[in-house]
């Protein structure tokens, strides 16, 4: 297997890598089980919006001249709107971290199929969270995505429960992980 190098990108560097990361996006989700077709242009639009969020962070994995994997996220809004639709009550500690602006949303983690099973995803999410000054990381996944659920369990993330989006989209699962200081 080709050696894979991880690199944290500045916002400017992430913008320079947008097209390569969008190519990775298409490749990573092509024919994936329990995933609908992912639109490249919609991904680029969403990435552009997310890059403008406070606390935006991106880490890429590179090998043999191409982007083998990517993960990004940003500091969550203090309003806690992303918790709306949660089945059950939000634990008070999480509500306090949200109000204090100490929640980091991991938005997209993807690895090119030819680099899967090589711990690339594990290394990417660890590198993304290592330098965070947040106390809690959150990721929302499609509840049908067993692959993502299995990976999160392996990485010691905890399921918080189901969130039914106000937009009427499919229910999501909320997963959390403490970020040690």
């Amino acid at each position: 297997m080709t050696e894979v190098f991880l690199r944290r990108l500045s916002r400017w560097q992430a913008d320079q890598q947008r097209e390569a990361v969008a190519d990775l996006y298409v490749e990573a989700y092509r024919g994936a089980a329990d995933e609908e077709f992912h639109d490249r242009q919609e991904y680029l639009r969403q990435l552009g919006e997310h890059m403008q969020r406070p606390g935006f962070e991106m880490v890429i994995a590179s090998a043999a001249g191409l982007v083998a994997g990517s993960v990004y996220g940003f500091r969550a809004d203090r309003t806690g709107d992303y918790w709306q639709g949660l089945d059950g009550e939000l634990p008070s500690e999480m509500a306090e971290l949200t109000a204090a602006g100490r929640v980091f949303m991991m938005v997209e983690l993807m690895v090119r199929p030819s680099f899967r099973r090589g711990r690339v995803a594990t290394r990417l999410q660890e590198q993304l969270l290592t330098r965070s000054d947040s106390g809690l990381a959150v990721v929302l996944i499609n509840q049908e995505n067993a692959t993502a659920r299995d990976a999160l369990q392996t990485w010691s993330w905890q399921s918080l429960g189901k969130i039914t989006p106000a937009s009427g989209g499919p229910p999501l699962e909320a997963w959390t992980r403490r970020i040690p200081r």
Side-chain angles (χ1 to χ4, degrees):
M1 163 88 57
T2 306
E3 190 167 4
V4 176
F5 298 94
L6 299 187
R7 182 168 54 122
R8 183 176 295 275
L9 302 182
S10 68
R11 196 180 305 259
W12 181 83
Q13 291 169 320
D15 189 51
Q16 299 300 307
Q17 293 290 322
R18 283 169 53 116
E19 293 297 325
V21 173
D23 291 343
L24 164 66
Y25 180 81
V26 170
E27 181 72 20
Y29 289 107
R30 181 176 291 139
D34 68 15
E35 287 292 332
E36 59 199 48
F37 175 75
H38 286 73
D39 180 72
R40 186 179 196 278
Q41 293 306 320
E42 176 59 21
Y43 174 76
L44 282 168
R45 185 197 65 72
Q46 182 179 1
L47 176 61
E49 285 180 12
H50 290 165
M51 288 174 63
Q52 302 308 310
R53 301 287 300 260
F56 175 84
E57 296 277 346
M58 178 180 264
V59 178
I60 62 170
S62 304
L66 57 106
V67 177
S70 171
V71 64
Y72 79 85
F74 48 82
R75 193 171 48 250
D77 292 332
R78 292 174 184 244
T79 61
D81 290 342
Y82 45 90
W83 295 126
Q84 292 196 3
L86 178 66
D87 286 354
E89 191 172 326
L90 182 66
S92 60
E93 182 181 12
M94 289 181 192
E96 290 171 14
L97 287 169
T98 300
R102 297 205 45 237
V103 175
F104 186 84
M105 297 290 295
M106 186 170 79
V107 177
E108 187 73 51
L109 171 62
M110 56 194 162
V111 176
R112 196 172 293 273
S114 59
F115 288 91
R116 293 182 183 154
R117 303 282 181 228
R119 293 187 31 87
V120 175
T122 301
R123 292 174 54 207
L124 281 166
Q125 62 97 30
E126 286 174 355
Q127 181 71 20
L128 180 71
L129 299 177
T130 296
R131 288 185 26 200
S132 176
D133 61 353
S134 298
L136 183 72
V138 175
V139 65
L140 303 176
I141 65 169
N142 181 317
Q143 70 177 6
E144 304 297 320
N145 192 337
T147 303
R149 184 181 311 105
D150 292 346
L152 292 168
Q153 287 174 331
T154 299
W155 299 330
S156 300
W157 288 67
Q158 303 294 313
S159 175
L160 183 59
K162 185 173 86 168
I163 291 182
T164 304
S167 65
L172 303 171
E173 287 182 23
W175 288 76
T176 63
R177 179 177 168 189
R178 303 286 276 132
I179 301 174
R181 286 186 159 276

